[in-house]
Amino acid sequence: MTRSITYTGLRGIPMVRPDDDLVSIIADGLTSAGIEVASGDIFVVAQKIVSKAENRYVDLDDVSPSARALELAKTVGKDPRHIEVVLSESSEVIRSRQNVIIVAHRLGFVMANAGIDQSNIDQGHSHRVLLLPKDPDDSCERLKSGLDQRFGVNVAVVMNDSFGRPWRNGVVGVAIGCAGLPALQNMIGEPDLFGRPMQVTEIAVADGLAAAASLVMGQAAEGQPIVHVRGLSCQAPAKPASVLVRPKEQDLFR
Amino acid sequence: MTRSITYTGLRGIPMVRPDDDLVSIIADGLTSAGIEVASGDIFVVAQKIVSKAENRYVDLDDVSPSARALELAKTVGKDPRHIEVVLSESSEVIRSRQNVIIVAHRLGFVMANAGIDQSNIDQGHSHRVLLLPKDPDDSCERLKSGLDQRFGVNVAVVMNDSFGRPWRNGVVGVAIGCAGLPALQNMIGEPDLFGRPMQVTEIAVADGLAAAASLVMGQAAEGQPIVHVRGLSCQAPAKPASVLVRPKEQDLFR
């Protein structure tokens, strides 16, 4: 018995606009791809399309930068209004210097620009920026419920975004939301092949899925922002992506 | 045209011993799985089996810990001989405390224990530890050449290992060796869907593959330590995994 995991990017996904129904968009994408959903299937959706559907746009013309944003904007070399939005989405600035602002997002994720950027946002609104969804785990739950109901199945949903990392060049896909599968799978106590207790205790399953799906999405994520995944078997109980956030007091790298 | 990437774990891979020929082991695994190799296919191999084939074992009974290792062993709470081996594989200790030693490996990777652990190492040799391959990029090149010759194709090879990360719980697969594909793909200058220059410039393709393959391998990596990948199209020139290492002077998190 050969075991495979297959990631299929759904083509022809339209530009997503505020209040669009992502369940219907996914359903149409599946029909185009000739895929019949089954229980155990996973959907990885790009953060940007969820943010757009949830109308998480902010018009910079409506933003008044604080004194702190003005100051930080000098260091970073960006529009102070943009920095103000970044700060409003963050609990802490971790590092800042020319062209770099790394924060702890209010959701706990340590990331550049609080996940806000201007690429792949429609022209004609050059002053608009797009925030992360308010509660990505909840967005995934709602998508999962919608898909489960529509197709009479039990699927999982992961929301991904591209993150830079310390120590390593390049970005990888990372999970910022998860429903229906264990974002983190605990291996404590499971023996290795020789019966010794495992030294590595937890696997970031949702991050692995997010990274794999990013390769399918390509970098212009809007071209193929929904990836259907089949073949991963997860017995462990479902856990949201919030469990992937390491508590600050356990972190050696702040 | 639906585009999929499929990861297939090769079953029935035997326990790898020093001087085993991984090309033959992969060939047998492909036969069992009924897969005919084609150009463009990628193999992700677990670090452990390459280290074993390259006989990268060290017997702790042969190790005399230095004064520094003795001191650090107290902080970390590990066998000073083990710490000595970690230090001999490292250029710098980045963080140390009870149960934690994070180093810059001589290859540049910032990782726990210099990639050395004792899980999934054969019983009866409880004092043996297993180092990373001497030059994982070179190991991948040799594997690629061997596979290309044997099958008359042009494939790529990635070597993966499980890394913890700052800020996030759980481990993910990471590339420590790469041949035949761009470990890092440069997107500078490629416009986004709306014609704006991309803000994100480089994609860690090999890390994405490594993370995806880890999910197939499962945690007891020796069960399924070779993953066949089909469907990723890479036009960019091949680059080794060493390009994934961010130079120390460009790193904000040391």
Side-chain angles (χ1 to χ4, degrees):
Chain A
M1 255 281 302
T2 299
R3 183 173 151 206
S4 295
I5 303 180
T6 299
Y7 297 78
T8 305
L10 304 186
R11 312 287 285 248
I13 304 297
M15 289 292 153
V16 173
R17 283 163 306 191
D19 301 322
D20 276 357
D21 175 22
L22 290 179
V23 171
S24 296
I25 287 174
I26 292 173
D28 292 345
L30 287 166
T31 305
S32 301
I35 295 173
E36 276 198 42
V37 196
S39 287
D41 286 358
I42 302 162
F43 293 90
V44 185
V45 294
Q47 164 265 322
K48 273 183 191 167
I49 65 165
V50 182
S51 288
K52 288 178 178 183
E54 296 183 3
N55 197 13
R56 296 285 291 155
Y57 289 105
V58 171
D59 192 324
L60 294 184
D61 291 339
D62 298 336
V63 174
S64 304
S66 61
R68 190 171 171 224
L70 288 165
E71 188 61 35
L72 203 52
K74 284 185 217 158
T75 308
V76 177
K78 281 200 178 167
D79 186 330
R81 300 170 303 170
H82 191 139
I83 299 292
E84 178 63 32
V85 181
V86 170
L87 290 176
S88 71
E89 282 282 281
S90 306
S91 61
E92 187 186 352
V93 176
I94 308 280
R95 294 286 188 281
S96 62
R97 66 177 188 187
Q98 185 65 32
N99 281 322
V100 177
I101 178 165
I102 297 169
V103 302
H105 188 277
R106 61 183 167 74
L107 295 164
F109 305 121
V110 176
M111 64 195 310
N113 302 312
I116 299 162
D117 68 28
Q118 291 182 284
S119 69
N120 282 349
I121 295 185
D122 338 6
Q123 284 179 325
H125 292 90
S126 62
H127 292 165
R128 288 207 308 191
V129 295
L130 187 62
L131 312 186
L132 298 194
K134 262 210 178 84
D135 182 343
D137 280 327
D138 185 58
S139 303
C140 289
E141 277 295 349
R142 280 181 284 117
L143 260 177
K144 171 187 160 44
S145 299
L147 291 163
D148 283 356
Q149 280 200 315
R150 179 147 185 158
F151 295 107
V153 290
N154 180 15
V155 299
V157 175
V158 170
M159 190 188 309
N160 75 349
D161 195 2
S162 289
F163 277 32
R165 298 91 40 92
W167 314 324
R168 295 181 77 78
N169 290 316
V171 298
V172 292
V174 161
I176 64 167
C178 180
L181 65 81
L184 198 62
Q185 191 163 355
N186 201 325
M187 304 291 281
I188 289 172
E190 298 201 22
D192 73 10
L193 288 181
F194 299 95
R196 263 201 216 91
M198 300 273 291
Q199 294 185 359
V200 171
T201 54
E202 292 181 309
I203 299 171
V205 173
D207 281 335
L209 288 162
S214 271
L215 291 183
V216 177
M217 290 177 179
Q219 194 46 26
E222 205 114 12
Q224 220 162 233
I226 301 164
V227 173
H228 170 266
V229 188
R230 181 165 289 170
L232 182 75
S233 97
C234 282
Q235 306 305 332
K239 282 183 195 167
S242 57
V243 303
L244 292 166
V245 175
R246 177 169 293 164
K248 186 175 172 177
E249 61 278 11
Q250 289 171 23
D251 204 299
L252 300 172
F253 297 96
R254 289 264 179 142
Chain B
M1 256 282 299
T2 299
R3 182 173 150 206
S4 294
I5 302 181
T6 299
Y7 296 78
T8 306
L10 305 187
R11 311 287 285 249
I13 303 297
M15 289 294 151
V16 172
R17 284 164 307 192
D19 301 322
D20 276 357
D21 175 22
L22 290 179
V23 172
S24 296
I25 287 174
I26 292 173
D28 292 346
L30 287 167
T31 305
S32 301
I35 294 172
E36 276 197 44
V37 197
S39 287
D41 286 359
I42 302 162
F43 293 91
V44 184
V45 293
Q47 165 265 322
K48 272 183 191 167
I49 65 165
V50 182
S51 289
K52 288 179 178 183
E54 296 183 3
N55 197 14
R56 296 285 290 154
Y57 289 105
V58 171
D59 191 325
L60 293 184
D61 292 339
D62 299 335
V63 175
S64 305
S66 61
R68 189 170 172 226
L70 288 165
E71 187 62 36
L72 203 52
K74 283 186 218 157
T75 308
V76 177
K78 281 200 179 169
D79 187 330
R81 300 170 303 169
H82 191 139
I83 298 292
E84 178 63 33
V85 181
V86 170
L87 290 176
S88 72
E89 282 283 281
S90 307
S91 61
E92 187 185 352
V93 177
I94 308 279
R95 295 284 189 281
S96 62
R97 66 177 189 187
Q98 185 64 33
N99 282 321
V100 177
I101 178 165
I102 297 168
V103 302
H105 188 277
R106 60 181 169 75
L107 294 165
F109 305 120
V110 176
M111 63 194 312
N113 302 312
I116 299 163
D117 69 29
Q118 291 181 284
S119 69
N120 283 347
I121 295 187
D122 337 5
Q123 285 179 326
H125 291 91
S126 61
H127 293 165
R128 288 206 308 191
V129 295
L130 188 62
L131 313 186
L132 298 195
K134 262 210 177 85
D135 182 343
D137 281 327
D138 185 58
S139 304
C140 289
E141 277 294 352
R142 280 182 285 117
L143 259 177
K144 171 187 161 42
S145 299
L147 291 164
D148 284 356
Q149 280 200 315
R150 179 147 186 156
F151 295 106
V153 290
N154 180 15
V155 300
V157 175
V158 170
M159 191 189 308
N160 75 348
D161 195 2
S162 289
F163 277 32
R165 299 90 41 92
W167 314 324
R168 295 181 78 78
N169 290 317
V171 298
V172 292
V174 161
I176 65 167
C178 181
L181 65 80
L184 197 61
Q185 190 163 357
N186 202 323
M187 304 291 280
I188 289 172
E190 298 201 23
D192 73 9
L193 288 181
F194 300 96
R196 262 200 217 91
M198 301 273 291
Q199 295 186 359
V200 172
T201 54
E202 291 181 310
I203 300 172
V205 173
D207 281 334
L209 288 161
S214 271
L215 291 183
V216 178
M217 291 177 180
Q219 193 46 27
E222 204 114 12
Q224 220 162 234
I226 300 165
V227 173
H228 170 266
V229 188
R230 181 165 289 171
L232 182 75
S233 97
C234 281
Q235 307 305 331
K239 282 183 197 168
S242 58
V243 303
L244 292 166
V245 174
R246 177 169 293 164
K248 186 175 173 178
E249 61 277 11
Q250 290 171 23
D251 204 300
L252 299 172
F253 296 97
R254 289 264 178 142

